[in-house]
Structures are given as structure tokens and as C-alpha cells.
Amino acid sequence: MTATPHPLVVAARTLAADVLAPRAERVDQDGVPVSSIEAVRASGLLGVSAPVAYGGSAAPAAVVRETAEILAGACCSTWFVQTQHHTPVATLAKADLPVREQLLGPLARGELLSGVAYAQLRAHPRVPVRVTPERGGWRFDGKVPWYSGWGLNDVMLLAGVTDADEALFAFTEAREQPGLRPSPPMRLAALSASRTVSLDLDGLWLPDEAVALRVPYASWAVTDRPRNTNASPAVFGVTAAAIGLLEGDPAAKDTARVLRARLDEVRRQAYALADHPVATERIDERLVCKTRAYDVMRAATTAAVVAGGGRAMDLRSPAQRLAREGMFLLVQGQTAEVRAAHLGSLGSP
């Protein structure tokens, strides 16, 4: 973590202590409320990595990671809704297209909250969402299997594949509209609170001015691969929260001490790899470190449940919530490569 607290780290800690953590169990059961999102907007964290010229903070990677850990450890559902926002911001920051000037400022300042609908691109060569040119714009057809933040997001960054095998990303309003129909909210074992739906696309038309990125699919896939081989800060946040529960239990202090040391070690290794100057190198090491991070998280959340005993089965217990959130993080952003590495690790002698 950063040696001297960055203002946004302080803001994240305040948000976590005053808003997110006190209501985490209720949010887990009832859903992320608008008031939590308004608190995130007011904190400035939606612009943590956005360019200063557009109202963001352009914070260092260490600060971005630390704020993510803090939010995920306090309320993983709220973290998950707001973390979607940072991909559209990063996409626009690199774009030299009209939509950048239209949306980057409002997104960086937290005036708009964006979701993302692009994980289906990783199913390639299957094409769950097909994009075809139509009337000076683009027509989207297919199905987005997962979209989180429905009813909370203002806009979404939607992706599909063109007939020329390009990945095309474009913005639209996050609402039901001609050609876009959401499913009822999904009931999930963890993070049902994130308001996750699927989206049916049947002729959704977006103007060319809405396009934020259009590149050959192979080029996009090369840049996407390292993102999923790095350990997620959210894993470390949930792990730290579970260890915090153990540290408050006299009978579990020794366990907490051992797990805290393991957490510190794997976090240090994971972030050193994430900061490697060539993102496409050391992939095997990244995958090994990611699975080790999962191992520590699983041990910490399991220990929190064991220490809680029967009380941990109560839905008001943070131990069971953290255990379920940890289960969710095992598959969040999962690719075939990550799944194979994790299964291999779990099946090794």
C-alpha cells in the first residue's frame, strides 16, 4: 500500500467506514442503493485514473489498487458496480473520437456512471453480439450474458464483433430502448446486490459518433489478456476484511497473523508483476501468483466462517458474506486460460 495516504485513499477509507461497511449486510440482501452510488460519486473515486484535464485525478496505479481494495473489503457489491466505470473512462482517455469530448468529462467528474457490456468478446471465435453497419451507424444483435449496475448506471459501453472481425465498442444509454431489452435481475449466490441482468439485442442502432473503439479483434485480445492474468485488488480487499474479523477474535489471532503474512507476500508479488513494463510478458508467473492470491483468500474467508461457528450462517454475519464474495471473485473476469491455471493448481499434489 502507499506509504503516505493519497487524498483519494483517505476518501476511500472514509466512504468505506461511514457508508459502505455499516450497511454491507443489508446491501447484500436488498441491493446496492442509489444512496451508496451517490456517495461514491461525491468521493471523487470515479475519476481516480481519469485525466486531470477532464476533471479526474490521474492517480498512480498504487493508489488505484489501494482504493479498490478498500471498497471491495467494505462492500464488494458496491465496489463491483463502480469498478465497471473505470474501463469506459480508460477507453475514452485513449480515444481520438468525438465521443471522448462528449462523455469523458462527465464520467471523470462522476456526473455520469457507466457500466460495461464487453465480456462476451472473450467467447471468440463465437460471436454472441454481432455488429453490422446500417444507416450511417451500427446495428447490434445478440445477447449480453452479464450486465451489472442496471438501474444505477447512466450509460454503458457495449461491444460486439463486426463481419470484418473487428472489436467495436460504442456508448448508449443504460435503459430499455428499441433493440435493447434487459432480463429480470438475476438471483446469484453472491453479489445479487449488483443488479445484474442479461441484455437481448435485436437491432439496437447506434450512430457512428457513439463509437469509442474499433480495432481488429486480434489486436484487442492481445491487450485484454494481461488484465485477466493479474490478481485483482478486490481479492486482496476481501481477504484483508476476513483477516480483520479473525484479528478481533482472541482464539483466531495466531491464524490471522499467519494469513496476514501470506497476504502481504502475495500482494507484493502480484503488484510487482502488474507494474512490469511489458504487460504481455511473464504471463505464467502472473497466473501462478493469481492462483496463490485465490488460495489465501479462500483460507481467510474459510477461517472467518470457522471462527464464527454457527453464527456465521446468519445472513447478518459478515463472515458468510465475505465467503460468498470470495466465491464470486474466483470467477469474476475468468477466461479459459485463467480457469485452466486455477484448476491445475487445485488439482496439483
Side-chain angles (χ1 to χ4, degrees):
M1 293 189 176
T2 51
T4 302
H6 185 280
L8 285 179
V9 171
V10 175
R13 289 175 179 166
T14 301
L15 175 65
D18 294 350
V19 179
L20 302 188
R23 60 175 68 164
E25 275 66 57
R26 180 159 51 88
V27 166
D28 177 61
Q29 297 302 306
D30 298 340
V32 175
V34 172
S35 59
S36 289
I37 296 302
E38 291 303 318
V40 174
R41 291 182 194 263
S43 71
L45 290 166
L46 293 180
V48 60
S49 56
V52 172
Y54 288 82
S57 297
V63 170
V64 175
R65 293 189 293 244
E66 187 170 355
T67 57
E69 286 187 26
I70 292 167
L71 298 190
C75 178
C76 198
S77 294
T78 304
W79 163 79
F80 188 59
V81 170
Q82 67 81 43
T83 201
Q84 316 295 315
H85 179 89
H86 302 294
T87 295
V89 168
T91 302
L92 286 173
K94 297 174 184 176
D96 187 18
L97 294 166
V99 72
R100 171 186 171 122
E101 299 308 314
Q102 178 187 355
L103 289 178
L104 185 51
L107 291 174
R109 295 188 296 268
E111 296 163 8
L112 294 176
L113 179 70
S114 182
V116 291
Y118 76 93
Q120 65 275 4
L121 290 182
R122 296 174 184 143
H124 196 272
R126 279 198 308 111
V127 181
V129 175
R130 174 70 65 184
V131 186
T132 52
E134 183 178 280
R135 294 182 285 120
W138 299 92
R139 174 186 172 120
F140 288 75
D141 292 280
K143 190 179 188 72
V144 175
W146 306 96
Y147 179 82
S148 297
W150 187 258
L152 296 171
N153 296 321
D154 302 296
V155 296
M156 73 169 75
L157 182 60
L158 173 64
V161 177
T162 70
D163 290 336
D165 207 33
E166 301 164 307
L168 187 145
F169 291 70
F171 280 93
T172 187
E173 293 182 75
R175 60 174 178 82
E176 186 168 359
Q177 54 186 292
L180 188 160
R181 186 177 69 256
S183 72
M186 296 182 184
R187 295 191 64 191
L188 306 173
L191 272 70
S192 278
S194 63
R195 303 198 191 191
T196 297
V197 299
S198 61
L199 302 174
D200 287 322
L201 305 172
D202 183 15
L204 174 68
W205 183 85
L206 299 178
D208 200 47
E209 292 75 18
V211 173
L213 179 66
R214 181 184 173 191
V215 295
Y217 178 85
S219 299
W220 176 82
V222 167
T223 61
D224 180 63
R225 186 187 182 204
R227 297 190 190 109
N228 299 292
T229 56
N230 287 318
S232 167
V235 169
F236 301 132
V238 168
T239 304
I243 294 172
L245 294 179
L246 296 172
E247 289 170 336
D249 183 342
K253 283 188 177 294
D254 287 344
T255 302
R257 176 178 49 77
V258 172
L259 289 172
R260 179 71 70 180
R262 290 174 59 191
L263 170 61
D264 291 344
E265 180 187 4
V266 73
R267 182 199 283 118
R268 176 183 57 78
Q269 293 175 347
Y271 290 165
L273 287 166
D275 288 336
H276 184 69
V278 183
T280 54
E281 292 182 354
R282 304 177 71 177
I283 295 296
D284 289 344
E285 290 179 66
R286 297 171 196 266
L287 288 168
V288 168
C289 192
K290 186 183 183 87
T291 58
R292 286 187 61 232
Y294 285 152
D295 289 344
V296 179
M297 178 180 67
R298 187 173 63 253
T301 55
T302 300
V305 170
V306 171
R311 297 186 306 277
M313 295 300 100
D314 192 317
L315 289 177
R316 293 168 294 182
S317 163
Q320 54 77 32
R321 172 179 55 82
L322 290 167
R324 288 186 290 104
E325 290 172 349
M327 180 178 64
F328 172 86
L329 292 174
L330 295 178
V331 298
Q332 187 250 329
Q334 185 189 64
T335 62
E337 183 177 30
V338 171
R339 183 186 301 112
H342 196 183
L343 288 173
S345 173
L346 292 170
S348 61

